[in-house]
């Protein structure tokens, strides 16, 4: 029996920090409201493309695994924000890290993209078709936001995280998952004109028609992740107390607290970093996993439960049994290109564009 051990991990957060106070300079909001309703204090805004963030997270993960990128059989990039639709963003990653022998594709399950990718990568290894698979979650949701709407535009940040999966004989890696989607509610979280449905040569350039029904998403997130968690625990005949660490999607601290309460998980068993990065969509889970390892919160053999939900409304949960190694085999010293702009300077053109588009539409 083949398993897919996680042997490498890496993350990439762009340097520009957008604080709640920064947002309050152009939105009718406050640090107090954002902190208490979401748990977010700040988020990152990228000066580079999604695929560039993904590539650096990938290089770091490949180094930690002690591999050469030419050894990879597949690259799965979970993203809803590819630089281009044609070609896919995963091909940029392949070229940039030198994974010349890898099959590559983008996977769009929004915030659940990494968990879906982990499931597919694991299945490819367990079937015997592949030996080494790189799974990345990378997103730049702030690019799509309507900065005239205050509830949605305070929630998201940019980032990327990655893991390397390698075939192994011992039971480790992803050992159970449950994935799903509430397609009938797909409109409640949508950039409705972000694809070919958009009328060409009409509409306002650069503006996306975002629909976001926060309270309904909140309810469905708790329900979808809750059901998926119950299902994976049942599959493995595990009691919640037997989970060593909960690594949830970071969308809202209140959602995380609700899940932790259901799992009866004390704070030391829950990874929370939403205050620093906001919701980085497909990147939240691999970034949180990476930080848990860096902080020594994962031990060999630990059972880690992860759960996520996102646009679609996709949802999923998975149990990972950690292998024997919790330290990197090597380090990658590459960095992103220099950035000379503040986060506010990076997003103000979008804010002004959104205001102009909304004013134009109202005419
Ligand atoms: N600043 C100040 N006030 C605000 C803000 C803001 N940023 N946003 C909303 N408010 C106001 C509202 O206007 C409302 O005022 P009113 O009572 O005068 O009408 C009040 O605050 C309460 O609004 P609610 O919508 O009831 O606030 P709620 O407690 O539901 O929190 C939130 C809103 C944070 C969006 C919450 O619903 C949520 O987190 N939902 C889940 C969202 C989520 O996780 N999305 C992830 C998507 S994943 C993906 O795939 C992209």
């Amino acid at each position: 029996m083949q398993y897919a051990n996680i042997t490498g991990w890496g993350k990439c957060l762009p340097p520009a920090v957008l604080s709640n106070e920064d947002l309050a300079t152009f939105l009718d909001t406050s640090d107090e409201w954002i902190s208490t309703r979401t748990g977010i204090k700040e988020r990152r805004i990228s000066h580079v493309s999604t695929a560039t963030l993904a590539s650096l997270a990938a290089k770091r993960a490949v180094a930690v695994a002690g591999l050469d990128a030419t050894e990879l059989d597949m690259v799965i990039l979970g993203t809803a924000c590819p630089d281009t639709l044609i070609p896919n963003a995963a091909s940029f990653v392949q070229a940039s890290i030198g994974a010349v022998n890898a099959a590559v594709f983008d996977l769009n399950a929004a915030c659940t993209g990494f968990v879906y990718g982990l499931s597919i990568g694991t299945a490819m290894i367990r079937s015997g078709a592949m030996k080494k698979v790189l799974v990345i979650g990378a997103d730049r949701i702030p690019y799509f936001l309507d900065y005239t709407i205050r509830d949605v535009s305070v929630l998201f940040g940019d980032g990327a995280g990655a893991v390397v999966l390698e075939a192994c004989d011992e039971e480790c890696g992803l050992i159970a998952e449950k994935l799903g989607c509430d397609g009938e509610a797909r409109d409640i979280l949508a950039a409705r004109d972000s694809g070919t449905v958009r009328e060409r040569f009409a509409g306002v350039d650069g503006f996306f028609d975002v629909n976001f029904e926060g309270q309904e998403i909140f309810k469905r997130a708790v329900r979808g992740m809750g059901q998926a968690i119950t299902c994976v625990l049942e599959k493995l005949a595990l009691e919640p107390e037997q989970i060593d660490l909960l690594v949830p999607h970071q969308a809202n601290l209140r959602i995380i607290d609700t899940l932790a309460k259901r799992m009866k998980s004390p704070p030391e068993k829950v990874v929370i970093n939403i205050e620093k990065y906001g919701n980085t969509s497909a990147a939240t889970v691999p970034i949180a996993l990476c930080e848990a390892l860096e902080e020594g919160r994962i031990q060999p053999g630990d059972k880690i439960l992860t759960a996520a939900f996102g646009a679609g409304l996709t949802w999923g949960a998975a149990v990972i049994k950690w292998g024997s190694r919790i330290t990197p085999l090597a380090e990658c010293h590459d960095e992103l290109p220099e950035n000379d702009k503040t986060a506010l300077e990076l997003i103000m053109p979008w804010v002004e564009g959104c205001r102009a588009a909304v004013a134009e539409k109202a005419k």
Side-chain angles (χ1 to χ4, degrees), residues 17-360:
V17 175
L18 186 72
S19 67
N20 291 346
E21 288 83 2
D22 288 334
L23 285 167
T25 63
F26 64 86
L27 268 180
D28 179 16
T29 191
S30 64
D31 174 50
E32 205 270 330
W33 192 95
I34 302 170
S35 305
T36 50
R37 304 309 289 168
T38 72
I40 301 166
K41 297 294 285 181
E42 56 189 42
R43 69 288 291 143
R44 304 294 177 91
I45 300 296
S46 185
H47 62 295
V48 296
S49 72
T50 306
T52 305
L53 296 175
S55 297
L56 190 52
K59 279 185 189 170
R60 290 173 174 164
V62 170
V64 166
L67 295 182
D68 189 288
T70 57
E71 296 176 73
L72 293 170
D73 300 311
M74 178 170 267
V75 175
I76 303 173
L77 173 53
T79 187
C81 313
D83 314 0
T84 52
L85 286 172
I86 306 168
N88 63 17
S91 54
F92 179 99
V93 177
Q94 191 218 35
S96 140
I97 70 172
V100 291
N101 297 308
V104 306
F105 64 97
D106 292 0
L107 184 166
N108 181 356
C111 300
T112 323
F114 176 79
V115 177
Y116 269 55
L118 195 61
S119 167
I120 294 167
T122 298
M124 293 304 286
I125 289 178
R126 292 185 75 159
S127 73
M130 310 231 156
K131 295 279 182 214
K132 294 177 174 56
V133 176
L134 176 68
V135 183
I136 312 165
D139 267 318
R140 289 182 64 211
I141 299 284
Y143 171 82
F144 286 103
L145 298 175
D146 173 353
Y147 288 95
T148 66
I149 307 177
R150 63 182 177 173
D151 55 355
V152 60
S153 50
V154 303
L155 299 178
F156 295 93
D158 299 332
V163 297
V164 172
L165 308 179
E166 287 188 69
C168 101
D169 297 325
E170 285 150 44
E171 188 196 52
C172 59
L174 188 154
I175 51 173
E177 77 271 67
K178 173 70 183 169
L179 307 177
C181 177
D182 294 346
E184 89 286 355
R186 63 196 295 276
D187 287 337
I188 68 173
L189 175 51
R192 287 187 283 219
D193 54 354
S194 55
T196 54
V197 72
R198 190 180 185 123
E199 195 62 40
R200 283 189 79 183
F201 311 115
V204 189
D205 206 17
F207 183 77
F208 296 102
D209 175 20
V210 174
N211 188 44
F212 180 84
E213 297 172 29
Q215 290 188 354
E216 187 58 25
I217 300 167
F218 194 108
K219 274 190 261 167
R220 284 175 178 267
V222 171
R223 193 176 71 202
M225 287 194 290
Q227 285 171 350
I229 286 173
T230 305
C231 182
V232 285
L233 292 181
E234 275 175 13
K235 272 189 192 181
L236 296 168
L238 284 176
E239 293 301 324
E241 297 76 17
Q242 291 173 280
I243 292 296
D244 298 295
L245 197 65
L246 179 60
V247 183
H249 175 45
Q250 313 279 313
N252 187 316
L253 185 58
R254 290 183 292 140
I255 296 177
I256 298 174
D257 285 344
T258 309
L259 287 185
K261 212 166 152 191
R262 281 193 186 183
M263 289 286 298
K264 302 186 194 87
S265 302
E268 64 275 14
K269 281 190 165 192
V270 187
V271 180
I272 298 173
N273 60 12
I274 190 169
E275 71 285 358
K276 293 188 286 186
Y277 309 131
N279 180 350
T280 55
S281 186
T284 64
V285 171
I287 291 172
L289 194 62
C290 206
E291 292 197 336
L293 283 150
E294 288 163 0
E295 291 161 11
R297 297 180 70 181
I298 295 178
Q299 296 306 315
D302 272 359
K303 291 196 187 67
I304 300 163
L305 176 67
T306 184
F309 74 96
L313 295 170
T314 57
W315 46 262
V319 173
I320 295 162
K321 186 174 173 203
W322 202 262
S324 56
R325 186 166 54 77
I326 50 171
T327 48
L329 287 178
E331 237 181 281
C332 160
H333 297 288
D334 290 10
E335 294 293 340
L336 289 176
E338 291 247 328
N339 167 45
D340 58 3
K341 289 201 166 86
T342 65
L344 259 184
E345 285 168 346
L346 288 167
I347 67 161
M348 275 326 276
W350 300 342
V351 175
E352 277 149 20
C354 288
R355 282 180 178 158
V358 169
E360 180 68 27

